[in-house]
Amino acid sequence: MNRKTLVLSAVVGLLAPVLAGCGGSDGGSGGGDAIVVGTTDPFVATKEAPAPVDPAYTYDTNTWNLLKQTIQTLLYIPRGGGEPLPDAASQCGFTDTGSESYRCTLRSGLTFSNGDPITAEDVKYSIERVSNINDPNGAVGLLANIDKIETSGNEVIFHLKTADATFPYKLSTPIAGIIDPKVYAPKKLLDGFTIEGSGPYTFKAEVKDGKMMKAVYTKNPKYKGALKLQNSKVEIRYFPTAEDMAAALEKGDIDVMNRSMTPEQIQNMQAKPEEHVNLTEIPGQEIRYLAFNTNAPVVKDKAVRQAIASVVNRGDLIKKVYGPMADPLYSVIPSGITGHTNSFFNEYGDGNKTEAAKFLSEANIPTPVKITLNYTTDHYGAATKKEFETLRDQLNSSGLFDVDLKGEPWATFLPKKNEGKFPIFGLGWFPDFPDPDNYIAPFLDKDNILSSPYANKRAIDTLIPESRREADRSAASNTFAELQNIVSSDVPMLPLWQGKQYIAARDDIFGVEWALDSGANLHLWELGRGTAGS
């Protein structure tokens, strides 16, 4: 069988009712061998970050994908997208017309993988623990609208401070995962790589010198929920380079590879098909951007940020670095998400050096402006270095900037970002859930993920709460358009590109098209070995 590229359209969710019945029976994988998945994303426990897999600590795609396999949530996003459905819960819903009170009933007989029973009080404990710890690295902001949590028997009632139609989506994320109070202390992070949950898999890590070398996911016989497993065991193996990972796939040492293949690998796999490996393209909602510490002297004046926004040429960047793997992004809300506009293109164009010079001249800022672009060397793939070299060259060639680059590992990059040590830095964003709110509130609301002092009163006090009152999300499009215009006007961040996603797999693996959704959420339970039945 020659390798082919399978392209899933943005309407893949419409196929879910047709394909949902396909695949083996629960737990079947065509054999007892583990399905082996390769990745270049490292997991490291350090002195600065000793608890990399605690739900209260982490807020990155790599770790959330680990937790999604092991920590159960009340709700989950179904195959192909759509509104959240019950998982640990048997039913959930708003109990008022104002979207301010939300009630969930737990499934009966739920237990953690160690056999401890799960109660409504455990759910309350798990979510309140995140708020009590309030770690700056975590996603506590997603829970900030909870006023109080009550329990009654097997029911959990969430009382919200303000209306929030997106709240069910937030309960489907790992920050709202249910953890065992006997294992996780109320106000202290759990160091190391221990995970105790009630999700579809149990977890065991092989660690050397604080670095995870292999992660083993074994079917959890105590799991009670909506997910159907197509395998009994999955291993994640970590590779130092994308080239090492690809060699392992070619030899058959691994069955699947995803993050992070290089643009060159994707192009070669498309141009020169080989036997026994399929490449699947999946629509992506990943974005990349530059962020600014608006209190840092070098970028405190908005004119500097506007000049950078004018000079950057996204088409040139993508052509030189990412090719078919990315599209230009001119707004914080990507194409394909309700309410998207091209606010940055409308404001600045692309590669407009004349406009950039005008911003600096009118603000009486001498040129060239000396700046440093900070990026992480091991978190977003091997092409990141070339991306920042291209951005440097664009800015320097304008004659308006004198740019240095500084790259460092994620384990040290993230704490420094959170401490506000970088005036300008590069980050990626994978949505927690497919709603425009999740591309706005994390960057503009209180306690934003950028650790930025930037605050727009109208956005925080009026527009974000206003958008959340709309149960029909398309009805909030005008509000989101204004929010995008605020971002393009003030430039607390600069969107660069929107990515596509690819998975390569040996041709005896099925379920690959469902194993990664548009938000880069990994669903290991969808992978099976052999021929999918129907």
Side-chain angles (χ1 to χ4, degrees):
M1 177 178 178
N2 287 334
R3 176 164 64 191
K4 57 183 179 294
T5 301
L6 307 176
V7 182
L8 305 183
S9 74
V11 295
V12 67
L14 299 177
L15 303 177
V18 177
L19 300 178
C22 296
S25 60
D26 184 14
S29 63
D33 294 340
I35 293 174
V36 184
V37 179
T39 181
T40 60
D41 287 340
F43 271 107
V44 182
T46 65
K47 181 180 179 181
E48 296 82 6
V53 299
D54 190 308
Y57 171 82
T58 183
Y59 197 11
D60 67 86
T61 299
N62 192 22
T63 313
W64 272 30
N65 275 334
L66 187 158
L67 295 175
K68 282 177 181 291
Q69 324 305 318
T70 52
I71 302 288
Q72 195 175 16
T73 49
L74 291 168
L75 302 166
Y76 79 106
I77 305 296
R79 185 192 257 194
E83 295 184 359
L85 297 177
D87 187 23
S90 60
Q91 60 181 5
C92 288
F94 284 105
T95 61
D96 64 333
T97 58
S99 300
E100 292 184 359
S101 181
Y102 196 77
R103 183 187 302 264
C104 288
T105 303
L106 290 181
R107 292 179 185 266
S108 61
L110 287 176
T111 66
F112 294 106
S113 60
N114 62 11
D116 291 342
I118 296 175
T119 67
E121 283 295 323
D122 294 331
V123 178
K124 181 176 185 288
Y125 174 91
S126 299
I127 294 176
E128 289 182 341
R129 175 180 180 267
V130 173
S131 299
N132 290 336
I133 291 176
N134 195 26
D135 193 281
N137 296 286
V140 65
L142 290 176
L143 308 177
N145 195 32
I146 297 176
D147 185 30
K148 64 177 179 177
I149 305 173
E150 295 181 329
T151 63
S152 177
N154 64 343
E155 292 185 335
V156 187
I157 306 98
F158 300 92
H159 299 283
L160 307 182
K161 298 173 186 176
T162 59
D164 186 2
T166 71
F167 187 68
Y169 287 99
K170 295 171 183 176
L171 289 183
S172 73
T173 66
I175 197 66
I178 306 168
I179 47 93
D180 190 344
K182 295 181 181 179
V183 178
Y184 293 82
K187 295 185 179 181
K188 184 180 183 301
L189 295 172
L190 182 63
D191 290 353
F193 295 96
T194 297
I195 300 175
E196 185 57 57
S198 56
Y201 295 98
T202 60
F203 170 80
K204 183 178 181 181
E206 293 185 12
V207 180
K208 181 179 180 181
D209 298 327
K211 186 173 184 178
M212 193 188 303
M213 309 303 293
K214 181 195 296 185
V216 180
Y217 300 88
T218 303
K219 179 182 176 183
N220 177 11
K222 294 183 171 62
Y223 170 68
K224 289 188 177 182
L227 304 176
K228 303 299 181 183
L229 278 67
Q230 304 298 336
N231 60 71
S232 298
K233 181 181 287 188
V234 178
E235 291 182 4
I236 305 288
R237 295 183 187 172
Y238 299 88
F239 292 87
T241 69
E243 290 74 20
D244 292 332
M245 179 172 63
L249 181 71
E250 185 176 347
K251 290 191 297 182
D253 292 340
I254 64 174
D255 301 297
V256 181
M257 68 175 184
N258 169 222
R259 284 174 54 93
S260 293
M261 291 180 274
T262 67
E264 292 77 15
Q265 285 176 322
I266 299 297
Q267 291 170 326
N268 288 339
M269 293 173 75
Q270 291 173 331
K272 300 176 182 178
E274 297 179 2
E275 290 187 338
H276 308 305
V277 175
N278 297 327
L279 180 67
T280 302
E281 177 187 320
I282 298 171
Q285 295 168 351
E286 168 193 5
I287 69 171
R288 295 287 176 84
Y289 59 94
L290 291 178
F292 301 94
N293 178 348
T294 54
N295 268 358
V298 70
V299 291
K300 189 171 185 177
D301 193 315
K302 182 170 71 171
V304 176
R305 307 194 300 270
Q306 291 175 316
I308 294 172
S310 299
V311 169
V312 166
N313 187 321
R314 296 164 180 80
D316 176 69
L317 173 67
I318 291 168
K319 179 181 178 181
K320 290 180 178 177
V321 183
Y322 290 104
M325 291 183 67
D327 292 311
L329 180 63
Y330 297 100
S331 172
V332 63
I333 297 178
S335 175
I337 296 291
T338 300
H340 164 79
T341 69
N342 287 316
S343 57
F344 270 84
F345 186 84
N346 298 337
E347 188 85 19
Y348 306 104
D350 215 19
N352 192 335
K353 300 177 185 178
T354 301
E355 189 71 13
K358 183 178 178 182
F359 280 122
L360 296 174
S361 175
E362 290 180 350
N364 296 316
I365 295 173
T367 59
V369 181
K370 187 170 180 58
I371 60 175
T372 298
L373 302 182
N374 297 272
Y375 66 97
T376 175
T377 57
D378 61 353
H379 195 68
Y380 297 118
T384 305
K385 183 175 186 290
K386 186 177 179 181
E387 174 183 356
F388 275 79
E389 290 172 344
T390 304
L391 290 171
R392 175 199 61 195
D393 294 345
Q394 288 182 358
L395 292 165
N396 283 345
S397 67
S398 72
L400 302 172
F401 294 94
D402 179 8
V403 181
D404 288 330
L405 297 182
K406 185 176 181 182
E408 58 185 289
W410 182 252
T412 56
F413 177 90
L414 183 61
K416 289 182 181 179
K417 185 273 291 185
N418 291 335
E419 294 167 10
K421 293 185 176 180
F422 300 141
I424 310 173
F425 53 97
L427 284 175
W429 180 251
F430 300 84
D432 307 316
F433 48 87
D435 187 276
D437 177 87
N438 199 235
Y439 290 93
I440 291 289
F443 306 108
L444 297 188
D445 212 348
K446 298 174 183 176
D447 300 319
N448 63 76
I449 65 163
L450 302 178
S451 305
S452 170
Y454 173 80
N456 183 284
K457 183 175 176 58
R458 176 162 172 75
I460 294 171
D461 295 344
T462 302
L463 297 176
I464 292 175
E466 183 179 293
S467 72
R468 289 172 173 169
R469 286 194 288 270
E470 298 290 353
D472 177 2
R473 304 307 288 149
S474 62
S477 292
N478 289 339
T479 304
F480 284 118
E482 184 176 349
L483 285 160
Q484 289 167 90
N485 288 338
I486 288 173
V487 177
S488 62
S489 176
D490 291 348
V491 200
M493 60 182 295
L494 176 61
L496 296 173
W497 55 267
Q498 175 178 350
K500 300 174 185 177
Q501 301 182 103
Y502 295 87
I503 298 183
R506 308 270 316 169
D507 59 10
D508 63 338
I509 301 297
F510 66 83
V512 175
E513 68 273 25
W514 300 116
L516 192 71
D517 66 21
S518 61
N521 295 300
L522 193 59
H523 305 151
L524 295 179
W525 54 85
E526 296 282 8
L527 296 172
R529 190 187 303 278
T531 303
S534 60

